[in-house]
Every structure is written in C-alpha cells, then in structure tokens.
Amino acid sequence: MVVPLRRIFAASVSLCVISLDAALAQAFADSIPEPDFVVTATRSPLAISQAGSAISVIPGEEIEKESPKSPADVLRRVPGVTVVETGGPGGTTTVRIRGADAGQTLVLIDGIRANDPSSDAGEFDFSNLSAVDIERIEVLRGPQSAIYGSDAMGGVINIITRKGKGAPRFSVGVEGGNYGTKAGRAAVSGSEGPVSYAFSTTGFDMTGFSRYGYRIGRIEHALTSPLEADGAQRLGAAGRVAVALSPNTEFEIGGYTSHNKADLDNDAGFDALPDGPSSTRQRLYEGHARLTQKAFDGILKSSFLVSGSRMDRDYRLIGSYALPSLYWDEYGYQGDRLSAEYQGDLKLGALGLLTLGAKVEEETLVSTTRNVLPFETPTYDNVDASQTTRSLYALHQFSLIENLHLSLGGRIDDVEGGDTFGTWRATAAYDIPDSGTKLRASIGTGAKAPTLYQQFDPFSGTADLESERSIGFDIGLDQRLADDRVLISATFFANRFRNLIAYEMAESCRPEQIYGCFINVNRARTSGVELSADVDVVPAWLRMKANYTFLEAFDEDTDLRLARRPQHQGRLGLIITPMPGLSIEPSVVLVGSRFSSPGEGYELAPYGRIDVYADYRISDTFSAYARAENLTDARYQEVYDYGTAGRSFYAGLRATW
C-alpha cells in the first residue's frame, strides 16, 4: 500500500502545478468559517448555536498574545483541558482533555492528523507547535472517534492556520526578554483573482534554565555546583495556496513544518547524573492537497484529500547509572503517515445534511539505537514496521422540530492485520426561543488502535494488542444574558475507559522481556464539571473571561487517582481598555494538587500563577506590547523534579499593514 499512496501524493502535487497555470478565471465561494461557526464538530461548517457537542473556539487575536516559546499555554483558556510542560519551553508538552491520556487526544493541523506515529502512545508533543499565523483553534471535547477515528477518545484539537482573503496583509514582529529569549515572526496573506495565499514563519531562541531542579529548594540546597541552563530553539513555517478552478471547484495545497531543538535533563529516579548534557532534535513535516467540488447546484459538496507527514526525532542521552561510569546512547525515531480520503456532504433539504466518507491511511515506524559509551556500537534497527487502516464513516444532521438540532454518526476502522472497531456518536441541541438558552447533550464511543511501538518494539511490544475503548456523555447549558453581554456555560461529563494499554510485567510477556511488556489490562473512569463565563462588564472598557474544571479521574483497578490530572483548575482573565489603543490583560491560572506519577506517586502542591499582558497601538501599523509572566515568582512543578520559570518579563514590537 506504500507505493500507491505515494504515487497518489506525487500526482496531486503535479496537478497543483497544472492548476496554478490553468485556473485564472472565476472565484470559488469562500469557505472560511465565520466567527459564530465551527468546522470540527461535524467536519463541515456548523453554527455554534446548533452544536450539540461541547466545543470552544480560541480566536487568533488571543493566540497572538501568548508567548511564542510556549504557544500551547493558550489552551489553558479552555475548560476541561490540562497542559503539562516538562521543565520549560522546548521540553515535552502534553495536553489532556477531560482526564483522557495525551495519546487519546487527536490533534489536527488544518484538518490533517498530526499525532506522532513514532511515539509509544501516539501523542502529539506540543513543543512542536510553532506560533505560525494561526487563525483559530477549535477544541472539541468528548469522544469523537465516530467522525475522526482512532485517538479521538478524549476530544479533538484542530489548529487552523490563516487562509488568504482580500488585499495583501503583512505582519512582522520581534520580541525579547528574560532567560536570553529572542523571538520573531512574519506573515503574509491575501488573494488576487482566483488565487488566495497565506505564508508565515516564526522562531525563538532561549538560553533557558535547568529543567532538572530549577527553583526547587530541596534539590538546589543539596547541590555542590550550579545547575546548567537548558536552552531551546524552534523554527516553524506554514503555508496555504488555493486556486478557484471554477465557481464550483477549488484546489488547495498546504503545509506545516516545525524544527525543535532542546537540551534535556535525565530522570533523577533512574540516573545518577540528572543534570547532564542530553539533548533532542525533532522535525515535523506535513503537507496536503485538497480538491473541493460542488455539484448539482451545490447539493453535493465533494472533497478529495491527500496528505503526508513525517515526524523525525533524535535523542542524545548522556548520564550515569552509577558514578563515575557514564553512558552515551543515541536513539532515532521516524514516523511517517500517508493518507487519502474522500468526504461528501449531501444536502437533503428538509431531511438535513448527510456526510459520507472513506479513508485509507498508512503509518510507518523506523527506530534505531547506537551506543557511544561505555562501548561504541554501530547503529542498528529496533523497529521497522507499518500498518494500514481503512475507514468508512457517516454523519446525519437534521432537525425534528424548529430549534431542535440532532446528529447521529458512526464509523468503522479496519486495521490491516490487527483490530477492527466500530464507534458511534449522537448529539442534540435545543434553542429555547426568546430566552438566550441552549440545552445540549452528546453521547458516543471512542477507540484507539495500538501504536506501532506498542506492537513491535522488540523490548516491550506485543503484536496482538486490542484497541482501547471508551464510552462517554455530556450534558450542558449555554446561557446568554443582558443583550448578549454575558455568556455562561456549564457542562457535566462522564467517561469510562476499558482495554487500556499499559506497560506491566505479565505472564504473556516473552521470556526476553524481563522488565515487562505492553498489555490490555487497565480500566479508568473520569467525570466532572466544566464552567466558563464571558462577561462584557463595562462595554469598551472592561471584559472578564473565566473557566473552571472539576475533574475526578481514577484507575478503576486500584481506585487511585490518575497522574497529572488536577481535581481543580481554572483561569480568570480581565481585558481592561482604559484608553483607545491601550489594552491591559491580567490573568491568574489556578491548579490544584495532583500526582506526578501513577499510583499516586509524588504529590505536587497546588499553585497560582499571575501573568499580565499589555498592548499599545502606536499607529495603524505599529503596536508595542509587554508581558510579565509569573509576576509573584511562584515556585511550582508541573512534573516532579522539573522546574518552571520564575518572574520574567518580555517586550516586543509588532507591525501590520
């Protein structure tokens, strides 16, 4: 299956070149979602007022205010989402939705699957997210495998980059601050006749601080020498070009890349030299070609998508199991994904909208190992494996009565040589007339196929693993008050997980797997409440945004809390506009106690972090901004023994024209 998919991809790129020369005639209908519409909830544009699932939208204006060194921090603005960064920018950064594992959160970039096929759990490491020209991020919570397949057990995060529209738009920005931080970004977008385009690039470089032990008193007091700083660099770029071949046909190509280099520290629980010179280099490449065509007077909209991605990760690990002897190991992981997909949206008039789709996807993993110390060895392969998944899905959206919007969908995923699983989802949304009240509910199942690493790693893999499964539901209320100046949302959710894959010592492990292997053994449950409020307190002067999540997340076999899931977390932010052109935005992030390791190991203390962002528009072109992070210099850990930044200040200049 590798050769056919690659030929399809190559043919699509060739088609793009032909299309750019041939299509200079008529404009294609604009498909950019409006502010009150989302595309992730149903795979097609949908008014938020009709969405039965819990979904949040982070606009580009808010994303732009976050630090380019940690753009994933913007997800802390969404209820039900937990962000964990390991020892500062550049370190492994995971995102969980409603207590599900990081590998059970599907991440899309412009609708293209970005989860890492080379990692052990298939999660997306958000340290590879660059702050390119992102138009919006949509966060869909709850099991969504019925429309997106494997990995979408906790929810879906769709990162949507800007699509060109109208007159050319240029922007550049530079920033600097503490920890030797330097950052910059540039973007251009627009359209001319039938062609629209958008390109952006961004990068940062920082000296950083020691990931291990920084600002952790019990570690620093025991040291006989200062901790070394662990730097990080990231360079990213994104681009999209679309050509309207006719009023009913559009062809688009796009891509995203991120290069991330970071110094690492080792796990003090296993290494006698945790503050060592280890490092990693990660490179993500993604490209796609999409042909969209409307037929029968717009009744049928067809989309043909071909995409490919590669995640390339290298690690140089230097440490000691017992001083003074040292080890120096080098590991390489390369994960490729190629896919071809068709989606058709058929308007049924009074019977609603029917979405039908089919997809074939191939994933490949190659991993290598080389030892330098204490004895040098040649590079040898650990894993060289691939698997192909074929999928069919359908989603029907309809209204039984006025203001009652329903959807019912299902999907079948067949992993060649592995598991076949079916999933389903149903949603309902009801707008109570003349009240500003929307009631919503959803229920569905989730599934996650075992990763290539879990199946074929020679030291821990188990070839006959089954897919992880879940079922979950939520019920919620969205209430608008005071002429839409107040929006309050409340959601209760619950999920049950079974067949979870864990690394344990078991009788089914092979004799050579002396430390354990991956097996289907665990069960878990999560439930909780999500609250959010957006209040225009004093129009044009003061706005307040807040969210809070109460989460219960337990291992059902041990009845112990799952690691890195705080029971309480929230964020409160104010937007103060004391004069035209000046915006001051203080915020506080509050996170309750949680455990860093499974089995309720290493309890982490609760913390509160206060940040302040200020922006002043100098002219129609230029604006200056400043950002103070951790203003009270709070000491806290997101991962046990790994430090976080202290009080720090950054300033920048931005130009847009």
Side-chain angles (χ1 to χ4, degrees):
M1 205 61 208
V2 177
V3 175
L5 284 175
R6 287 175 177 167
R7 287 177 177 170
I8 293 172
F9 188 74
S12 300
V13 175
S14 301
L15 177 60
C16 169
V17 177
I18 298 172
S19 302
L20 288 171
D21 293 332
L24 296 174
Q26 299 170 315
F28 185 80
D30 190 7
S31 60
I32 301 174
E34 297 296 327
D36 292 333
F37 282 73
V38 292
V39 295
T40 312
T42 57
R43 302 182 64 104
S44 59
L46 176 73
I48 294 179
S49 61
Q50 298 180 11
S53 298
I55 187 166
S56 300
V57 178
I58 308 172
E61 295 78 15
E62 294 186 16
I63 301 168
E64 195 174 53
K65 297 170 185 176
E66 289 293 339
S67 170
K69 59 186 178 9
S70 298
D73 274 350
V74 75
L75 295 171
R76 301 182 193 268
R77 301 170 184 241
V78 179
V81 174
T82 304
V83 180
V84 176
E85 188 176 67
T86 308
T92 301
T93 304
T94 57
V95 174
R96 296 175 174 86
I97 298 179
R98 291 183 172 175
D101 281 340
Q104 296 167 345
T105 296
L106 176 62
V107 178
L108 307 174
I109 299 178
D110 290 328
I112 309 302
R113 183 183 295 263
N115 289 51
D116 182 4
S118 72
S119 68
D120 57 349
E123 71 274 11
F124 178 77
D125 182 353
F126 277 81
S127 70
N128 293 299
L129 176 60
S130 294
V132 292
D133 198 8
I134 300 174
E135 183 175 273
R136 58 201 276 143
I137 298 176
E138 297 182 1
V139 182
L140 179 62
R141 305 189 294 281
Q144 309 297 332
S145 293
I147 54 176
Y148 288 104
S150 182
D151 300 342
M153 298 175 75
V156 179
I157 299 174
N158 192 5
I159 300 160
I160 302 171
T161 62
R162 187 176 302 278
K163 185 175 182 179
K165 181 181 180 181
R169 174 185 181 271
F170 301 88
S171 66
V172 295
V174 293
E175 178 180 312
N178 288 126
Y179 299 110
T181 300
K182 302 174 288 293
R185 65 179 76 186
V188 58
S189 62
S191 62
E192 182 67 33
V195 180
S196 66
Y197 55 89
F199 301 97
S200 61
T201 184
T202 182
F204 90 91
D205 185 317
M206 67 179 298
T207 305
F209 51 85
S210 177
R211 301 191 191 282
Y212 169 76
Y214 180 65
R215 298 193 326 121
I216 301 175
R218 61 180 168 77
I219 294 177
E220 292 185 326
H221 294 158
L223 293 174
T224 57
S225 59
L227 294 166
E228 62 158 1
D230 294 315
Q233 301 85 40
R234 185 189 302 122
L235 179 65
R240 299 174 71 178
V241 176
V243 182
L245 306 179
S246 74
N248 294 314
T249 306
E250 181 186 68
F251 184 77
E252 176 190 276
I253 60 171
Y256 170 89
T257 185
S258 176
H259 292 222
N260 185 42
K261 184 178 183 299
D263 297 329
L264 299 179
D265 283 333
N266 303 323
D267 189 338
F270 301 94
D271 203 290
L273 187 65
D275 188 35
S278 299
S279 63
T280 180
R281 183 179 61 176
Q282 304 184 57
R283 299 170 297 278
L284 170 62
Y285 308 93
E286 178 270 322
H288 70 269
R290 180 185 286 112
L291 178 67
T292 305
Q293 187 171 40
K294 297 178 181 178
F296 309 113
D297 294 326
I299 293 176
L300 175 64
K301 178 181 177 182
S302 296
S303 176
F304 303 88
L305 172 66
V306 178
S307 65
S309 67
R310 167 169 291 180
M311 170 56 79
D312 208 348
R313 299 183 290 126
D314 297 313
Y315 296 89
R316 185 188 67 177
L317 304 181
I318 302 174
S320 174
Y321 295 121
L323 292 171
S325 64
L326 296 176
Y327 67 81
W328 178 336
D329 299 333
E330 295 181 351
Y331 299 91
Y333 301 88
Q334 180 178 293
D336 293 341
R337 180 181 289 114
L338 292 171
S339 67
E341 182 173 10
Y342 168 78
Q343 178 177 319
D345 298 317
L346 179 63
K347 295 180 181 178
L348 303 177
L351 297 179
L353 177 68
L354 178 63
T355 297
L356 300 170
K359 181 177 182 178
V360 58
E361 177 178 272
E362 181 190 60
E363 294 180 325
T364 303
L365 165 63
V366 176
S367 68
T368 61
T369 301
R370 173 176 176 262
N371 303 115
V372 179
L373 291 175
F375 303 105
E376 186 170 1
T377 66
T379 300
Y380 56 89
D381 291 342
N382 287 330
V383 181
D384 187 350
S386 64
Q387 66 183 16
T388 300
T389 303
R390 296 174 177 84
S391 309
L392 295 172
Y393 59 87
L395 177 68
H396 185 203
Q397 304 172 61
F398 57 100
S399 298
L400 284 180
I401 59 174
E402 187 177 3
N403 298 324
L404 177 60
H405 310 289
L406 307 174
S407 76
L408 180 63
R411 180 177 177 123
I412 296 177
D413 291 89
D414 177 33
V415 182
E416 186 175 12
D419 200 7
T420 298
F421 52 88
T423 51
W424 55 269
R425 190 196 76 170
T427 70
Y430 180 63
D431 272 319
I432 301 177
D434 303 320
S435 68
T437 303
K438 183 182 87 169
L439 304 176
R440 51 180 166 77
S442 70
I443 184 171
T445 57
K448 176 178 174 61
T451 66
L452 291 168
Y453 184 92
Q454 290 169 339
Q455 295 176 84
F456 301 112
D457 178 70
F459 308 105
S460 58
T462 303
D464 58 353
L465 289 171
E466 297 179 0
S467 299
E468 298 178 328
R469 305 295 180 95
S470 73
I471 185 169
F473 77 93
D474 60 36
I475 183 168
L477 166 73
D478 300 327
Q479 180 66 59
R480 294 184 178 273
L481 301 168
D483 295 326
D484 291 346
R485 285 174 47 197
V486 177
L487 173 60
I488 300 173
S489 296
T491 306
F492 172 79
F493 66 88
N495 299 283
R496 293 273 182 163
F497 301 87
R498 63 180 176 86
N499 240 25
L500 297 180
I501 298 172
Y503 180 76
E504 293 188 4
M505 193 67 216
E507 292 182 0
S508 58
C509 295
R510 299 190 301 273
E512 65 271 21
Q513 296 174 326
I514 58 176
Y515 298 109
C517 63
F518 288 106
I519 58 174
N520 292 106
V521 63
N522 285 358
R523 297 175 300 150
R525 67 181 187 275
T526 68
S527 61
V529 176
E530 300 164 344
L531 304 175
S532 66
D534 186 343
V535 182
D536 194 359
V537 182
V538 181
W541 194 87
L542 176 62
R543 192 178 193 94
M544 184 271 290
K545 293 186 177 183
N547 73 73
Y548 166 76
T549 303
F550 172 77
L551 174 65
E552 296 277 32
F554 287 91
D555 182 323
E556 287 204 323
D557 296 320
T558 64
D559 207 32
L560 299 177
R561 291 190 177 275
L562 298 177
R564 303 181 189 178
R565 278 85 159 176
Q567 187 177 24
H568 304 278
Q569 67 174 7
R571 182 185 185 275
L572 172 65
L574 300 177
I575 304 173
I576 305 169
T577 312
M579 57 181 287
L582 175 62
S583 175
I584 303 172
E585 303 185 19
S587 64
V588 57
V589 173
L590 301 170
V591 178
S593 61
R594 61 262 177 244
F595 296 94
S596 183
S597 300
E600 297 190 354
Y602 304 117
E603 184 173 5
L604 302 176
Y607 71 89
R609 192 188 76 192
I610 297 176
D611 303 328
V612 179
Y613 174 86
D615 187 300
Y616 179 67
R617 178 165 290 280
I618 302 170
S619 66
D620 290 341
T621 300
F622 294 98
S623 62
Y625 64 91
R627 188 173 56 253
E629 298 181 358
N630 196 4
L631 200 57
T632 61
D633 204 31
R635 292 175 179 258
Y636 64 96
Q637 302 169 62
E638 294 192 337
V639 177
Y640 186 73
D641 278 352
Y642 285 84
T644 53
R647 183 187 298 111
S648 48
F649 301 92
Y650 307 87
L653 184 67
R654 186 185 300 117
T656 303
W657 68 96

